[in-house]
């Protein structure tokens, strides 16, 4: 299920009375306000305030359900405290049952809600800013495909290019010659053959990308690489990518790639 589909199900979720705990927690270690694990205090205080409010209402059914969810949410986050990203979003209910947990790589504003439905407005905003998207990183040697949503890489695949030419290993200057579109004599023929093989590789991979776009419900698609290679790959796609970014990021860490694509 894609994140958009899950969000839609959350929007349709409803209780007869208040039964859903929605938690947005900022755990960003780079945030000055989150130094020394300050999120632990914010989590404890936020959950405590709701409990105190319920105690005042003296609704035993709500209090009992909330105490169980409070314990479950606290345990979930504490058990994963060594792997926290920028934020955590949780939607939880006992009856009807709901348990939806998201560790995200985008900024989260801490808040806690106890309602008859999941409070999803902030999550909608985050998904709009960082939608389900495919990022295609092109290069001569290989192509990386990143499946992303809300600033997080869900999956990553790498496809290596086999030139199909036995002389490739002996031609140290072929790559730069191909990218410059220059050369002379025998290397011109070699460049043409390499270019044809590369374009065939891109065309086959373009079919794979279109299939992934449909299966993973990508709302956006970006092609990244040196101009000639990025444009060559973009031409293989049935639908125009949202943007072509002319930078060689193929050896760059995934989360830094996301920053270059979405925040620049």
């Amino acid at each position: 299920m894609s994140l958009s589909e899950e969000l839609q199900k959350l929007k349709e979720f409803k209780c007869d009375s208040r039964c859903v705990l929605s938690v947005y927690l900022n755990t960003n270690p780079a945030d000055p306000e989150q130094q020394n694990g300050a999120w632990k205090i914010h989590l404890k205080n936020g959950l405590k305030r709701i409990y105190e409010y319920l105690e005042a209402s003296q609704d035993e059914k709500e209090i009992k359900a909330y105490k169980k969810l409070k314990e479950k949410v606290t345990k979930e986050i504490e058990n994963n405290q060594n792997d926290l990203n920028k934020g955590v979003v949780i939607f939880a209910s006992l009856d009807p049952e709901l348990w939806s947990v998201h560790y995200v790589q985008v900024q989260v504003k801490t808040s806690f809600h106890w309602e008859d439905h999941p409070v999803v407005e902030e999550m909608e905003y985050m998904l709009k800013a960082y939608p389900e998207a495919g990022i295609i990183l092109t290069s001569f040697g290989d192509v990386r495909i990143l499946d992303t949503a809300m600033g997080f890489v869900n999956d990553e695949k790498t496809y290596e290019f086999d030139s199909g030419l036995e002389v490739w290993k002996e031609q140290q200057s072929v790559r730069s010659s191909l990218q410059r579109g220059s050369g002379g004599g025998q290397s011109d023929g070699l460049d043409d053959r390499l270019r044809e093989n590369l374009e065939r590789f891109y065309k086959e991979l373009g079919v794979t990308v279109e299939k992934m776009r449909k299966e993973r419900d990508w709302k956006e698609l970006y092609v990244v690489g040196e101009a000639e290679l990025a444009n060559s790959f973009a031409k293989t796609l049935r639908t125009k990518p949202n943007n072509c970014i002319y930078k060689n990021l193929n050896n760059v860490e995934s989360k830094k790639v996301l920053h270059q694509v979405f925040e620049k």
Side-chain angles (χ1 to χ4, degrees), residues 155-193:
D155 190 20
E156 179 174 344
K157 297 181 181 295
T158 300
Y159 296 84
E160 293 185 1
F161 170 54
D162 181 359
S163 69
L165 301 174
E166 294 180 0
V167 295
W168 166 244
K169 293 181 180 179
E170 299 175 4
Q171 298 291 332
Q172 299 297 324
S173 64
V174 167
R175 180 174 179 175
S176 59
S177 176
L178 173 75
Q179 293 175 347
R180 291 195 307 268
S182 62
Q186 183 179 355
S187 66
D188 276 346
L190 184 60
D191 280 0
D192 288 341
R193 292 169 64 195

Side-chain angles (χ1 to χ4, degrees), residues 2 210-218:
S2 70
E210 292 288 1
K211 184 178 179 182
M212 291 178 70
R213 181 207 290 258
K214 183 177 181 180
E215 291 176 345
R216 306 190 182 212
D217 197 25
W218 288 340

Side-chain angles (χ1 to χ4, degrees), residues 25 33-34 38-47 110 112:
L25 184 65
E33 296 183 0
Q34 299 303 316
W39 62 264
K40 296 180 182 179
I41 298 174
H42 298 154
L43 176 63
K44 181 179 178 180
N45 291 343
L47 294 174
T110 297
F112 302 84

Side-chain angles (χ1 to χ4, degrees), residues 5-123:
E5 291 171 332
E6 184 171 351
L7 182 58
Q8 184 58 40
K9 287 187 176 296
L10 287 169
K11 292 171 73 172
E12 295 168 358
F13 191 94
K14 187 81 171 177
C15 308
D16 293 332
S17 60
R18 292 179 300 186
C19 74
V20 182
L21 175 61
S22 301
V23 174
Y24 291 87
L25 184 65
N26 178 3
T27 58
N28 186 1
D31 188 333
E33 296 183 0
Q34 299 303 316
Q35 297 300 314
N36 302 316
W39 62 264
K40 296 180 182 179
I41 298 174
H42 298 154
L43 176 63
K44 181 179 178 180
N45 291 343
L47 294 174
K48 182 181 178 181
R49 278 193 293 270
I50 294 178
Y51 182 67
E52 289 173 344
Y53 171 78
L54 291 177
E55 275 193 316
S57 72
Q58 297 184 341
D59 188 321
E60 292 302 325
K61 182 180 178 181
E62 280 193 56
I63 292 173
K64 184 178 180 180
Y66 178 77
K67 285 176 68 176
K68 290 182 178 180
L69 292 173
K70 173 177 172 289
E71 182 179 346
K72 187 176 182 180
V73 166
T74 301
K75 187 175 181 180
E76 165 69 28
I77 298 175
E78 289 181 346
N79 285 348
N80 292 279
Q81 62 182 300
N82 293 327
D83 300 308
L84 295 176
N85 297 299
K86 288 185 177 180
V88 184
V89 181
I90 298 178
F91 305 102
S93 171
L94 291 180
D95 185 20
E97 186 176 358
L98 173 64
W99 184 246
S100 177
V101 181
H102 306 274
Y103 293 93
V104 301
Q105 269 287 23
V106 296
Q107 192 66 37
V108 175
K109 183 178 179 180
T110 297
S111 63
F112 302 84
H113 312 269
W114 178 250
E115 301 289 348
D116 62 356
H117 62 279
V119 177
V120 299
E121 287 79 8
E122 182 66 19
M123 188 173 178

